[in-house]
Amino acid sequence: MSRVTLHDASFEPFISEEELNTAIAHVAGTIALKYADKDPLFVVVLNGAYHFAARLLNGLPIACGITFVKVASYHGTSSTGKVTGLIGLDQNVEGRHVVVVEDIVDTGNTLEHIMATLAPMRPASVAVATMLFKPDAYRKDIPVDHIALRIPDHFVVGSGLDHDGAGRNLPGVYRITQQ
Ligand code: XMP
Ligand code: MG
């Protein structure tokens, strides 16, 4: 791994592909045990979680469903301000054990909105699996159940994570260089 420049910013190697894969395999093992015979529904949050989802779910030795959503974030016409919803949820989640699959949980704002959207759909349970978690940035009480790796509060790219559209395809994870 060597330094990369994406748009205006420079990034340095931070987590190797191997380290990431080992951590993801560990999460997969935990989830396989916890959800054996529960037929969970994995709700993968695009775009960034595609890499983690493929690594986590390919070959997972349990019956499960996998579906993909996007988080829509827009400003409503009323005074409600920012409105967030899930686009593309094509499965009935009622009575299902849902696992939200995220690339990264930072402040937790996005996760809070996703949870608030899913709760009225009456799932049997909702848990979260994330590739990366920034404990120092997290501002919510929602438990983040399955974490591959905890990282400091640095902006990172690679393995699905992008800087303004660039860098998603980088293997491993890179962090922004402090100038
Ligand atoms: P939170 O948890 O703050 O995260 O709602 C919101 C979204 O911000 C993105 N995010 C990042 N993207 N590198 C990225 O490429 C990062 O370090 C980073 N931190 C947050 C991500 O889309 C997350 O879902
Ligand atoms: Mg994201």
Side-chain angles (χ1 to χ4, degrees):
M1 292 172 87
S2 52
R3 264 169 200 248
V4 292
T5 301
L6 304 170
H7 303 300
D8 51 345
S10 170
F11 293 82
E12 61 191 14
F14 182 43
I15 301 166
S16 71
E17 194 179 6
E18 191 186 15
E19 187 185 347
L20 196 57
N21 288 346
T22 302
I24 295 171
H26 187 77
V27 171
T30 305
I31 285 177
L33 281 178
K34 180 174 165 188
Y35 289 96
D37 306 320
K38 287 206 167 82
D39 190 15
L41 176 65
F42 293 96
V43 175
V44 180
V45 184
L46 296 174
N47 294 323
Y50 77 88
H51 174 87
F52 177 48
R55 279 275 167 199
L56 180 72
L57 303 176
N58 197 17
L60 195 75
I62 60 172
C64 64
I66 303 173
T67 193
F68 300 87
V69 298
K70 279 197 166 194
V71 174
S73 190
Y74 54 94
H75 290 276
T77 49
S78 70
S79 58
T80 51
K82 202 168 155 206
V83 182
T84 306
L86 288 184
I87 301 176
L89 186 58
D90 59 357
Q91 305 279 310
N92 185 5
V93 306
E94 187 172 346
R96 298 292 300 270
H97 292 279
V98 172
V99 182
V100 175
V101 179
E102 267 281 21
D103 50 1
I104 189 165
V105 175
D106 192 307
T107 64
N109 283 334
T110 307
L111 185 59
E112 184 174 62
H113 286 298
I114 292 171
M115 292 306 210
T117 305
L118 289 173
M121 299 176 183
R122 302 166 55 118
S125 67
V126 188
V128 186
T130 188
M131 183 171 75
L132 301 176
F133 179 57
K134 294 180 178 175
D136 297 338
Y138 195 57
R139 296 282 169 267
K140 307 294 175 187
D141 296 324
I142 302 162
V144 183
D145 309 84
H146 302 287
I147 298 165
L149 289 170
R150 289 168 176 77
I151 62 168
D153 190 7
H154 293 144
F155 187 75
V156 293
V157 295
S159 298
L161 291 157
D162 72 300
H163 171 44
D164 209 4
R168 282 194 208 280
N169 55 317
L170 290 168
V173 175
Y174 291 70
R175 86 175 150 195
I176 200 158
T177 306
Q178 307 301 331
Q179 313 268 354

